[in-house]
Amino acid sequence: MLDEYRSSIDNIDAALIHLLAERFKVTRRVGAHKAAAGMPPADPDREAVQVQRMRELAESAGLDPVFSEKFLRFVIDEVIRHHVVAGDTGDDGN
Amino acid sequence: MLDEYRSSIDNIDAALIHLLAERFKVTRRVGAHKAAAGMPPADPDREAVQVQRMRELAESAGLDPVFSEKFLRFVIDEVIRHHVVAGDTGDDGN
């Protein structure tokens, strides 16, 4: 039984990794687009909408909404870290 | 163009939230199973295998392997936090 659960966890984790890889592809494009358009890197209004949406999705999926917000923050922080490493303006890629 | 990117990010985020909800369902079952079977909550060997696997998946998906490891740690910490809040033994649910 434990092996069966673990096999499900492993499948879910593989899907998560692939989705995250895809997400970072898109945020890299967002960063490049904003830079080319001379747009400000951060967009607090957009982020507020994202947080609210994630919380609602989490609730409907039976996931702790607080965790969904922490998760979004964790991912956005990584986007920012990548941009900083890449030497640009700390775009939040959202 | 930005709207199109954001719509992709929103779709990916919704998928991530639903997968995470499903993952927590499974780890809750793992925690209950281990408790019922009198198994120790943590399993460092299993966790080492998970880290290695996540890193390999990340590399093949074009994602930073260090991030994949941080992500796994982030999720496992949340599993532990939930167990602690639920008053049990801090099972790592892996």
Side-chain angles (χ1 to χ4, degrees):
Chain A
M1 184 63 96
L2 189 55
D3 284 349
E4 213 172 300
Y5 291 145
R6 286 179 166 174
S7 146
S8 291
I9 291 170
D10 288 346
N11 283 342
I12 292 168
D13 283 346
L16 287 167
I17 287 295
H18 285 88
L19 277 170
L20 285 165
E22 201 56 34
R23 193 189 194 282
F24 285 113
K25 278 196 207 170
V26 182
T27 53
R28 274 195 291 273
R29 276 179 229 136
V30 167
H33 175 84
K34 283 186 179 175
M39 294 171 68
D43 187 338
D45 290 345
R46 157 76 175 158
E47 199 176 307
V49 170
Q50 282 177 294
V51 165
Q52 186 52 35
R53 183 173 172 275
M54 292 289 263
R55 293 183 68 104
E56 284 164 14
L57 282 168
E59 283 196 69
S60 82
L63 185 71
D64 180 3
V66 175
F67 173 75
S68 74
E69 191 171 341
K70 273 162 60 184
F71 172 72
L72 182 64
R73 174 47 51 200
F74 175 80
V75 172
I76 290 178
D77 284 351
E78 182 67 14
V79 171
I80 292 170
R81 203 184 63 77
H82 271 218
H83 283 278
V84 171
V85 168
D88 58 39
T89 49
D91 189 290
D92 63 358
N94 69 0
Chain B
M1 185 62 97
L2 188 56
D3 283 350
E4 213 172 300
Y5 290 145
R6 286 180 166 175
S7 146
S8 291
I9 291 171
D10 287 346
N11 282 342
I12 293 168
D13 283 346
L16 287 167
I17 287 295
H18 285 90
L19 277 169
L20 285 165
E22 202 55 34
R23 192 187 195 283
F24 285 113
K25 277 197 209 171
V26 182
T27 53
R28 273 194 292 273
R29 277 180 228 135
V30 168
H33 175 84
K34 283 187 179 175
M39 295 172 68
D43 187 339
D45 290 346
R46 156 77 175 157
E47 198 176 308
V49 170
Q50 282 176 294
V51 166
Q52 186 53 36
R53 182 171 172 277
M54 292 287 265
R55 293 183 67 104
E56 284 164 14
L57 283 168
E59 282 195 70
S60 83
L63 185 71
D64 179 4
V66 175
F67 173 74
S68 74
E69 190 171 341
K70 273 163 58 185
F71 172 71
L72 183 64
R73 174 46 51 200
F74 175 80
V75 172
I76 290 178
D77 284 351
E78 181 69 13
V79 171
I80 291 170
R81 201 183 64 77
H82 271 216
H83 283 278
V84 171
V85 168
D88 58 39
T89 51
D91 189 290
D92 63 358
N94 68 0

